[in-house]
mmCIF file of all heavy atoms in Angstrom:
data_model
loop_
_atom_site.group_PDB
_atom_site.id
_atom_site.type_symbol
_atom_site.label_atom_id
_atom_site.label_comp_id
_atom_site.label_asym_id
_atom_site.label_seq_id
_atom_site.Cartn_x
_atom_site.Cartn_y
_atom_site.Cartn_z
ATOM 1 N N TYR F 97 10.359 -13.223 -7.379
ATOM 2 C CA TYR F 97 9.380 -12.153 -7.289
ATOM 3 C C TYR F 97 8.269 -12.502 -6.298
ATOM 4 O O TYR F 97 7.869 -13.659 -6.165
ATOM 5 C CB TYR F 97 8.764 -11.884 -8.666
ATOM 6 C CG TYR F 97 9.570 -10.942 -9.529
ATOM 7 C CD1 TYR F 97 10.939 -11.102 -9.676
ATOM 8 C CD2 TYR F 97 8.960 -9.895 -10.209
ATOM 9 C CE1 TYR F 97 11.687 -10.252 -10.478
ATOM 10 C CE2 TYR F 97 9.694 -9.040 -11.024
ATOM 11 C CZ TYR F 97 11.056 -9.223 -11.149
ATOM 12 O OH TYR F 97 11.777 -8.375 -11.946
ATOM 13 N N ARG F 98 7.764 -11.457 -5.643
ATOM 14 C CA ARG F 98 6.670 -11.589 -4.685
ATOM 15 C C ARG F 98 5.595 -10.562 -5.002
ATOM 16 O O ARG F 98 5.836 -9.599 -5.715
ATOM 17 C CB ARG F 98 7.194 -11.373 -3.270
ATOM 18 C CG ARG F 98 8.229 -12.413 -2.819
ATOM 19 C CD ARG F 98 8.959 -11.973 -1.555
ATOM 20 N NE ARG F 98 9.803 -10.819 -1.831
ATOM 21 C CZ ARG F 98 10.364 -10.082 -0.862
ATOM 22 N NH1 ARG F 98 10.147 -10.358 0.409
ATOM 23 N NH2 ARG F 98 11.109 -9.032 -1.178
ATOM 24 N N ILE F 99 4.416 -10.789 -4.470
ATOM 25 C CA ILE F 99 3.296 -9.881 -4.720
ATOM 26 C C ILE F 99 2.537 -9.617 -3.426
ATOM 27 O O ILE F 99 2.370 -10.526 -2.592
ATOM 28 C CB ILE F 99 2.346 -10.445 -5.801
ATOM 29 C CG1 ILE F 99 1.280 -9.404 -6.179
ATOM 30 C CG2 ILE F 99 1.708 -11.760 -5.371
ATOM 31 C CD1 ILE F 99 0.473 -9.773 -7.396
ATOM 32 N N ILE F 100 2.108 -8.388 -3.253
ATOM 33 C CA ILE F 100 1.309 -7.998 -2.083
ATOM 34 C C ILE F 100 -0.164 -8.197 -2.424
ATOM 35 O O ILE F 100 -0.650 -7.672 -3.427
ATOM 36 C CB ILE F 100 1.576 -6.530 -1.715
ATOM 37 C CG1 ILE F 100 3.053 -6.320 -1.362
ATOM 38 C CG2 ILE F 100 0.671 -6.096 -0.559
ATOM 39 C CD1 ILE F 100 3.467 -4.865 -1.271
ATOM 40 N N GLN F 101 -0.863 -8.938 -1.572
ATOM 41 C CA GLN F 101 -2.290 -9.183 -1.792
ATOM 42 C C GLN F 101 -3.064 -8.997 -0.494
ATOM 43 O O GLN F 101 -2.507 -9.129 0.601
ATOM 44 C CB GLN F 101 -2.530 -10.596 -2.320
ATOM 45 C CG GLN F 101 -1.840 -10.877 -3.654
ATOM 46 C CD GLN F 101 -2.499 -12.019 -4.400
ATOM 47 O OE1 GLN F 101 -3.330 -11.802 -5.276
ATOM 48 N NE2 GLN F 101 -2.112 -13.238 -4.077
ATOM 49 N N ASP F 102 -4.335 -8.709 -0.635
ATOM 50 C CA ASP F 102 -5.238 -8.613 0.504
ATOM 51 C C ASP F 102 -6.230 -9.763 0.392
ATOM 52 O O ASP F 102 -7.082 -9.762 -0.508
ATOM 53 C CB ASP F 102 -5.970 -7.268 0.493
ATOM 54 C CG ASP F 102 -6.807 -7.047 1.742
ATOM 55 O OD1 ASP F 102 -7.143 -8.038 2.424
ATOM 56 O OD2 ASP F 102 -7.143 -5.884 2.025
ATOM 57 N N PRO F 103 -6.137 -10.771 1.257
ATOM 58 C CA PRO F 103 -7.025 -11.941 1.150
ATOM 59 C C PRO F 103 -8.502 -11.609 1.313
ATOM 60 O O PRO F 103 -9.361 -12.413 0.956
ATOM 61 C CB PRO F 103 -6.530 -12.863 2.274
ATOM 62 C CG PRO F 103 -5.808 -11.970 3.222
ATOM 63 C CD PRO F 103 -5.205 -10.877 2.380
ATOM 64 N N ARG F 104 -8.804 -10.430 1.825
ATOM 65 C CA ARG F 104 -10.207 -10.017 1.971
ATOM 66 C C ARG F 104 -10.776 -9.512 0.651
ATOM 67 O O ARG F 104 -11.986 -9.329 0.526
ATOM 68 C CB ARG F 104 -10.316 -8.909 3.025
ATOM 69 C CG ARG F 104 -9.864 -9.328 4.414
ATOM 70 C CD ARG F 104 -9.626 -8.131 5.297
ATOM 71 N NE ARG F 104 -8.538 -7.286 4.779
ATOM 72 C CZ ARG F 104 -8.066 -6.217 5.429
ATOM 73 N NH1 ARG F 104 -8.594 -5.866 6.600
ATOM 74 N NH2 ARG F 104 -7.086 -5.501 4.903
ATOM 75 N N SER F 105 -9.899 -9.273 -0.319
ATOM 76 C CA SER F 105 -10.329 -8.734 -1.600
ATOM 77 C C SER F 105 -9.970 -9.707 -2.718
ATOM 78 O O SER F 105 -9.739 -10.885 -2.474
ATOM 79 C CB SER F 105 -9.674 -7.365 -1.817
ATOM 80 O OG SER F 105 -10.232 -6.732 -2.933
ATOM 81 N N PHE F 106 -9.872 -9.195 -3.949
ATOM 82 C CA PHE F 106 -9.627 -10.062 -5.104
ATOM 83 C C PHE F 106 -8.150 -10.434 -5.190
ATOM 84 O O PHE F 106 -7.279 -9.563 -5.196
ATOM 85 C CB PHE F 106 -10.059 -9.361 -6.396
ATOM 86 C CG PHE F 106 -9.986 -10.243 -7.613
ATOM 87 C CD1 PHE F 106 -11.005 -11.137 -7.897
ATOM 88 C CD2 PHE F 106 -8.892 -10.192 -8.461
ATOM 89 C CE1 PHE F 106 -10.946 -11.960 -9.012
ATOM 90 C CE2 PHE F 106 -8.817 -11.003 -9.584
ATOM 91 C CZ PHE F 106 -9.856 -11.890 -9.853
ATOM 92 N N CYS F 107 -7.859 -11.738 -5.252
ATOM 93 C CA CYS F 107 -6.491 -12.236 -5.407
ATOM 94 C C CYS F 107 -6.364 -12.930 -6.761
ATOM 95 O O CYS F 107 -7.328 -13.492 -7.272
ATOM 96 C CB CYS F 107 -6.138 -13.210 -4.284
ATOM 97 S SG CYS F 107 -6.090 -12.442 -2.637
ATOM 98 N N PHE F 108 -5.173 -12.901 -7.327
ATOM 99 C CA PHE F 108 -4.991 -13.458 -8.669
ATOM 100 C C PHE F 108 -5.165 -14.971 -8.673
ATOM 101 O O PHE F 108 -4.983 -15.651 -7.667
ATOM 102 C CB PHE F 108 -3.629 -13.061 -9.238
ATOM 103 C CG PHE F 108 -2.467 -13.892 -8.753
ATOM 104 C CD1 PHE F 108 -2.090 -15.042 -9.426
ATOM 105 C CD2 PHE F 108 -1.736 -13.506 -7.641
ATOM 106 C CE1 PHE F 108 -1.017 -15.808 -8.998
ATOM 107 C CE2 PHE F 108 -0.649 -14.263 -7.207
ATOM 108 C CZ PHE F 108 -0.293 -15.418 -7.885
ATOM 109 N N GLY F 109 -5.487 -15.512 -9.844
ATOM 110 C CA GLY F 109 -5.679 -16.949 -10.009
ATOM 111 C C GLY F 109 -4.817 -17.480 -11.136
ATOM 112 O O GLY F 109 -3.967 -16.777 -11.692
ATOM 113 N N ILE F 110 -5.065 -18.711 -11.507
ATOM 114 C CA ILE F 110 -4.263 -19.370 -12.540
ATOM 115 C C ILE F 110 -4.419 -18.687 -13.893
ATOM 116 O O ILE F 110 -3.506 -18.731 -14.725
ATOM 117 C CB ILE F 110 -4.625 -20.870 -12.643
ATOM 118 C CG1 ILE F 110 -3.606 -21.598 -13.547
ATOM 119 C CG2 ILE F 110 -6.051 -21.050 -13.142
ATOM 120 C CD1 ILE F 110 -3.768 -23.089 -13.562
ATOM 121 N N ASP F 111 -5.549 -18.022 -14.137
ATOM 122 C CA ASP F 111 -5.750 -17.369 -15.425
ATOM 123 C C ASP F 111 -4.679 -16.311 -15.690
ATOM 124 O O ASP F 111 -4.183 -16.180 -16.818
ATOM 125 C CB ASP F 111 -7.155 -16.773 -15.547
ATOM 126 C CG ASP F 111 -7.622 -16.021 -14.320
ATOM 127 O OD1 ASP F 111 -6.844 -15.900 -13.358
ATOM 128 O OD2 ASP F 111 -8.781 -15.556 -14.323
ATOM 129 N N ALA F 112 -4.278 -15.564 -14.657
ATOM 130 C CA ALA F 112 -3.228 -14.556 -14.817
ATOM 131 C C ALA F 112 -1.892 -15.210 -15.142
ATOM 132 O O ALA F 112 -1.123 -14.715 -15.974
ATOM 133 C CB ALA F 112 -3.111 -13.711 -13.553
ATOM 134 N N VAL F 113 -1.607 -16.339 -14.498
ATOM 135 C CA VAL F 113 -0.354 -17.057 -14.743
ATOM 136 C C VAL F 113 -0.305 -17.565 -16.181
ATOM 137 O O VAL F 113 0.709 -17.443 -16.873
ATOM 138 C CB VAL F 113 -0.199 -18.233 -13.752
ATOM 139 C CG1 VAL F 113 1.072 -19.026 -14.051
ATOM 140 C CG2 VAL F 113 -0.191 -17.728 -12.315
ATOM 141 N N LEU F 114 -1.408 -18.122 -16.650
ATOM 142 C CA LEU F 114 -1.476 -18.638 -18.009
ATOM 143 C C LEU F 114 -1.289 -17.525 -19.032
ATOM 144 O O LEU F 114 -0.564 -17.677 -20.012
ATOM 145 C CB LEU F 114 -2.815 -19.341 -18.245
ATOM 146 C CG LEU F 114 -3.113 -20.571 -17.379
ATOM 147 C CD1 LEU F 114 -4.486 -21.129 -17.727
ATOM 148 C CD2 LEU F 114 -2.052 -21.633 -17.535
ATOM 149 N N LEU F 115 -1.937 -16.392 -18.806
ATOM 150 C CA LEU F 115 -1.849 -15.293 -19.753
ATOM 151 C C LEU F 115 -0.437 -14.716 -19.823
ATOM 152 O O LEU F 115 0.069 -14.418 -20.912
ATOM 153 C CB LEU F 115 -2.842 -14.188 -19.377
ATOM 154 C CG LEU F 115 -2.826 -12.951 -20.274
ATOM 155 C CD1 LEU F 115 -3.132 -13.322 -21.721
ATOM 156 C CD2 LEU F 115 -3.823 -11.918 -19.764
ATOM 157 N N ALA F 116 0.217 -14.569 -18.667
ATOM 158 C CA ALA F 116 1.577 -14.022 -18.650
ATOM 159 C C ALA F 116 2.531 -14.896 -19.452
ATOM 160 O O ALA F 116 3.474 -14.399 -20.079
ATOM 161 C CB ALA F 116 2.068 -13.879 -17.209
ATOM 162 N N ASN F 117 2.285 -16.203 -19.460
ATOM 163 C CA ASN F 117 3.153 -17.111 -20.201
ATOM 164 C C ASN F 117 2.761 -17.192 -21.680
ATOM 165 O O ASN F 117 3.616 -17.337 -22.549
ATOM 166 C CB ASN F 117 3.108 -18.505 -19.590
ATOM 167 C CG ASN F 117 4.346 -19.315 -19.929
ATOM 168 O OD1 ASN F 117 5.378 -19.211 -19.279
ATOM 169 N ND2 ASN F 117 4.258 -20.120 -20.975
ATOM 170 N N PHE F 118 1.462 -17.080 -21.958
ATOM 171 C CA PHE F 118 0.955 -17.175 -23.335
ATOM 172 C C PHE F 118 1.429 -16.001 -24.183
ATOM 173 O O PHE F 118 1.722 -16.156 -25.374
ATOM 174 C CB PHE F 118 -0.580 -17.214 -23.294
ATOM 175 C CG PHE F 118 -1.247 -17.296 -24.635
ATOM 176 C CD1 PHE F 118 -1.296 -18.488 -25.343
ATOM 177 C CD2 PHE F 118 -1.854 -16.175 -25.190
ATOM 178 C CE1 PHE F 118 -1.931 -18.563 -26.575
ATOM 179 C CE2 PHE F 118 -2.501 -16.239 -26.421
ATOM 180 C CZ PHE F 118 -2.532 -17.435 -27.114
ATOM 181 N N ALA F 119 1.502 -14.821 -23.581
ATOM 182 C CA ALA F 119 1.934 -13.635 -24.315
ATOM 183 C C ALA F 119 3.389 -13.775 -24.740
ATOM 184 O O ALA F 119 4.243 -14.176 -23.948
ATOM 185 C CB ALA F 119 1.756 -12.397 -23.444
ATOM 186 N N GLY F 120 3.672 -13.462 -25.986
ATOM 187 C CA GLY F 120 5.024 -13.608 -26.499
ATOM 188 C C GLY F 120 5.962 -12.529 -25.986
ATOM 189 O O GLY F 120 5.539 -11.488 -25.464
ATOM 190 N N LYS F 121 7.257 -12.769 -26.146
ATOM 191 C CA LYS F 121 8.263 -11.781 -25.760
ATOM 192 C C LYS F 121 8.182 -10.564 -26.669
ATOM 193 O O LYS F 121 7.818 -10.673 -27.834
ATOM 194 C CB LYS F 121 9.662 -12.388 -25.861
ATOM 195 C CG LYS F 121 9.988 -13.415 -24.795
ATOM 196 C CD LYS F 121 11.430 -13.869 -24.947
ATOM 197 C CE LYS F 121 11.811 -14.878 -23.873
ATOM 198 N NZ LYS F 121 13.225 -15.313 -23.989
ATOM 199 N N THR F 122 8.530 -9.412 -26.124
ATOM 200 C CA THR F 122 8.606 -8.205 -26.933
ATOM 201 C C THR F 122 9.766 -7.351 -26.459
ATOM 202 O O THR F 122 10.084 -7.313 -25.266
ATOM 203 C CB THR F 122 7.296 -7.391 -26.852
ATOM 204 O OG1 THR F 122 7.422 -6.236 -27.682
ATOM 205 C CG2 THR F 122 6.990 -6.938 -25.430
ATOM 206 N N SER F 123 10.397 -6.679 -27.396
ATOM 207 C CA SER F 123 11.460 -5.737 -27.054
ATOM 208 C C SER F 123 10.903 -4.321 -26.975
ATOM 209 O O SER F 123 11.612 -3.375 -26.644
ATOM 210 C CB SER F 123 12.579 -5.793 -28.104
ATOM 211 O OG SER F 123 12.052 -5.511 -29.393
ATOM 212 N N GLY F 124 9.608 -4.185 -27.305
ATOM 213 C CA GLY F 124 8.947 -2.887 -27.245
ATOM 214 C C GLY F 124 8.217 -2.700 -25.923
ATOM 215 O O GLY F 124 8.404 -3.452 -24.972
ATOM 216 N N LYS F 125 7.346 -1.704 -25.874
ATOM 217 C CA LYS F 125 6.598 -1.400 -24.658
ATOM 218 C C LYS F 125 5.392 -2.333 -24.523
ATOM 219 O O LYS F 125 4.741 -2.661 -25.516
ATOM 220 C CB LYS F 125 6.142 0.053 -24.669
ATOM 221 C CG LYS F 125 7.282 1.057 -24.643
ATOM 222 C CD LYS F 125 6.786 2.491 -24.736
ATOM 223 C CE LYS F 125 6.040 2.914 -23.480
ATOM 224 N NZ LYS F 125 5.663 4.349 -23.533
ATOM 225 N N MET F 126 5.113 -2.742 -23.292
ATOM 226 C CA MET F 126 4.005 -3.644 -23.007
ATOM 227 C C MET F 126 3.098 -3.001 -21.970
ATOM 228 O O MET F 126 3.575 -2.315 -21.061
ATOM 229 C CB MET F 126 4.559 -4.973 -22.476
ATOM 230 C CG MET F 126 3.513 -5.975 -22.022
ATOM 231 S SD MET F 126 3.167 -5.883 -20.246
ATOM 232 C CE MET F 126 2.379 -7.474 -19.977
ATOM 233 N N ILE F 127 1.780 -3.205 -22.115
ATOM 234 C CA ILE F 127 0.834 -2.702 -21.124
ATOM 235 C C ILE F 127 -0.196 -3.768 -20.797
ATOM 236 O O ILE F 127 -0.663 -4.491 -21.673
ATOM 237 C CB ILE F 127 0.130 -1.412 -21.608
ATOM 238 C CG1 ILE F 127 -0.765 -0.839 -20.490
ATOM 239 C CG2 ILE F 127 -0.659 -1.627 -22.896
ATOM 240 C CD1 ILE F 127 -1.277 0.565 -20.782
ATOM 241 N N ASP F 128 -0.534 -3.876 -19.518
ATOM 242 C CA ASP F 128 -1.573 -4.796 -19.042
ATOM 243 C C ASP F 128 -2.770 -3.968 -18.611
ATOM 244 O O ASP F 128 -2.662 -3.115 -17.712
ATOM 245 C CB ASP F 128 -1.049 -5.627 -17.871
ATOM 246 C CG ASP F 128 -2.073 -6.632 -17.376
ATOM 247 O OD1 ASP F 128 -2.626 -7.372 -18.212
ATOM 248 O OD2 ASP F 128 -2.315 -6.681 -16.153
ATOM 249 N N LEU F 129 -3.912 -4.209 -19.241
ATOM 250 C CA LEU F 129 -5.123 -3.431 -18.969
ATOM 251 C C LEU F 129 -5.966 -4.102 -17.893
ATOM 252 O O LEU F 129 -6.301 -5.276 -17.994
ATOM 253 C CB LEU F 129 -5.937 -3.277 -20.258
ATOM 254 C CG LEU F 129 -5.223 -2.577 -21.417
ATOM 255 C CD1 LEU F 129 -6.139 -2.518 -22.638
ATOM 256 C CD2 LEU F 129 -4.762 -1.192 -21.023
ATOM 257 N N GLY F 130 -6.319 -3.333 -16.851
ATOM 258 C CA GLY F 130 -7.043 -3.881 -15.717
ATOM 259 C C GLY F 130 -6.126 -4.770 -14.902
ATOM 260 O O GLY F 130 -6.449 -5.922 -14.602
ATOM 261 N N THR F 131 -4.989 -4.235 -14.510
ATOM 262 C CA THR F 131 -3.902 -5.049 -13.955
ATOM 263 C C THR F 131 -4.127 -5.542 -12.537
ATOM 264 O O THR F 131 -3.415 -6.417 -12.067
ATOM 265 C CB THR F 131 -2.571 -4.263 -14.047
ATOM 266 O OG1 THR F 131 -1.473 -5.168 -13.962
ATOM 267 C CG2 THR F 131 -2.470 -3.207 -12.945
ATOM 268 N N GLY F 132 -5.138 -4.999 -11.836
ATOM 269 C CA GLY F 132 -5.399 -5.446 -10.473
ATOM 270 C C GLY F 132 -4.207 -5.215 -9.567
ATOM 271 O O GLY F 132 -3.674 -4.101 -9.487
ATOM 272 N N ASN F 133 -3.756 -6.272 -8.898
ATOM 273 C CA ASN F 133 -2.601 -6.185 -8.009
ATOM 274 C C ASN F 133 -1.270 -6.153 -8.749
ATOM 275 O O ASN F 133 -0.220 -6.157 -8.123
ATOM 276 C CB ASN F 133 -2.594 -7.374 -7.036
ATOM 277 C CG ASN F 133 -3.721 -7.311 -6.031
ATOM 278 O OD1 ASN F 133 -4.337 -6.267 -5.836
ATOM 279 N ND2 ASN F 133 -4.010 -8.431 -5.391
ATOM 280 N N GLY F 134 -1.322 -6.171 -10.074
ATOM 281 C CA GLY F 134 -0.103 -6.080 -10.865
ATOM 282 C C GLY F 134 0.595 -7.395 -11.119
ATOM 283 O O GLY F 134 1.769 -7.421 -11.480
ATOM 284 N N VAL F 135 -0.139 -8.500 -11.008
ATOM 285 C CA VAL F 135 0.512 -9.811 -11.136
ATOM 286 C C VAL F 135 1.047 -10.062 -12.536
ATOM 287 O O VAL F 135 2.149 -10.608 -12.697
ATOM 288 C CB VAL F 135 -0.443 -10.954 -10.696
ATOM 289 C CG1 VAL F 135 -1.692 -11.017 -11.569
ATOM 290 C CG2 VAL F 135 0.289 -12.286 -10.692
ATOM 291 N N ILE F 136 0.311 -9.675 -13.571
ATOM 292 C CA ILE F 136 0.784 -9.945 -14.936
ATOM 293 C C ILE F 136 2.031 -9.130 -15.274
ATOM 294 O O ILE F 136 3.008 -9.696 -15.788
ATOM 295 C CB ILE F 136 -0.351 -9.745 -15.952
ATOM 296 C CG1 ILE F 136 -1.406 -10.851 -15.772
ATOM 297 C CG2 ILE F 136 0.178 -9.758 -17.391
ATOM 298 C CD1 ILE F 136 -2.653 -10.690 -16.604
ATOM 299 N N PRO F 137 2.086 -7.827 -14.981
ATOM 300 C CA PRO F 137 3.348 -7.113 -15.198
ATOM 301 C C PRO F 137 4.520 -7.713 -14.437
ATOM 302 O O PRO F 137 5.634 -7.807 -14.966
ATOM 303 C CB PRO F 137 3.043 -5.693 -14.705
ATOM 304 C CG PRO F 137 1.588 -5.526 -14.970
ATOM 305 C CD PRO F 137 0.995 -6.881 -14.638
ATOM 306 N N LEU F 138 4.304 -8.167 -13.205
ATOM 307 C CA LEU F 138 5.386 -8.754 -12.424
ATOM 308 C C LEU F 138 5.848 -10.081 -13.018
ATOM 309 O O LEU F 138 7.046 -10.329 -13.151
ATOM 310 C CB LEU F 138 4.941 -8.950 -10.973
ATOM 311 C CG LEU F 138 4.768 -7.684 -10.139
ATOM 312 C CD1 LEU F 138 4.201 -8.030 -8.763
ATOM 313 C CD2 LEU F 138 6.080 -6.919 -9.996
ATOM 314 N N LEU F 139 4.897 -10.945 -13.372
ATOM 315 C CA LEU F 139 5.256 -12.232 -13.969
ATOM 316 C C LEU F 139 5.930 -12.037 -15.318
ATOM 317 O O LEU F 139 6.904 -12.721 -15.644
ATOM 318 C CB LEU F 139 4.008 -13.101 -14.130
ATOM 319 C CG LEU F 139 3.452 -13.741 -12.862
ATOM 320 C CD1 LEU F 139 2.098 -14.389 -13.148
ATOM 321 C CD2 LEU F 139 4.416 -14.765 -12.288
ATOM 322 N N TYR F 140 5.414 -11.094 -16.095
ATOM 323 C CA TYR F 140 6.000 -10.848 -17.408
ATOM 324 C C TYR F 140 7.426 -10.315 -17.269
ATOM 325 O O TYR F 140 8.324 -10.683 -18.023
ATOM 326 C CB TYR F 140 5.140 -9.874 -18.204
ATOM 327 C CG TYR F 140 5.440 -9.891 -19.682
ATOM 328 C CD1 TYR F 140 4.849 -10.827 -20.519
ATOM 329 C CD2 TYR F 140 6.338 -8.985 -20.227
ATOM 330 C CE1 TYR F 140 5.140 -10.869 -21.877
ATOM 331 C CE2 TYR F 140 6.638 -9.016 -21.578
ATOM 332 C CZ TYR F 140 6.039 -9.958 -22.401
ATOM 333 O OH TYR F 140 6.334 -10.000 -23.736
ATOM 334 N N SER F 141 7.626 -9.456 -16.279
ATOM 335 C CA SER F 141 8.968 -8.929 -16.020
ATOM 336 C C SER F 141 9.920 -10.039 -15.611
ATOM 337 O O SER F 141 11.052 -10.135 -16.100
ATOM 338 C CB SER F 141 8.907 -7.867 -14.915
ATOM 339 O OG SER F 141 10.201 -7.461 -14.526
ATOM 340 N N ALA F 142 9.468 -10.911 -14.717
ATOM 341 C CA ALA F 142 10.317 -11.989 -14.207
ATOM 342 C C ALA F 142 10.636 -13.013 -15.287
ATOM 343 O O ALA F 142 11.763 -13.515 -15.362
ATOM 344 C CB ALA F 142 9.632 -12.672 -13.023
#
């Protein structure tokens, strides 16, 4: 997986990576609030 970012603006950090891994698996619907560039949905999907 890859992500599109603009280095002139806000880019994701290690906190997003940690959260995507900390969240448990689910077979139901998942939502990320304040997703920014969408890094947590992408990491969670991958």
Side-chain angles (χ1 to χ4, degrees):
Y97 275 47
R98 297 166 292 168
I99 187 169
I100 299 168
Q101 300 202 97
D102 187 340
R104 298 164 297 185
S105 189
F106 187 81
C107 295
F108 81 89
I110 190 172
D111 44 3
V113 177
L114 298 179
L115 178 59
N117 203 84
F118 179 77
K121 288 184 179 181
T122 181
S123 57
K125 296 177 69 175
M126 175 266 198
I127 185 169
D128 182 50
L129 300 179
T131 200
N133 291 344
V135 62
I136 291 174
L138 289 175
L139 285 171
Y140 197 84
S141 173

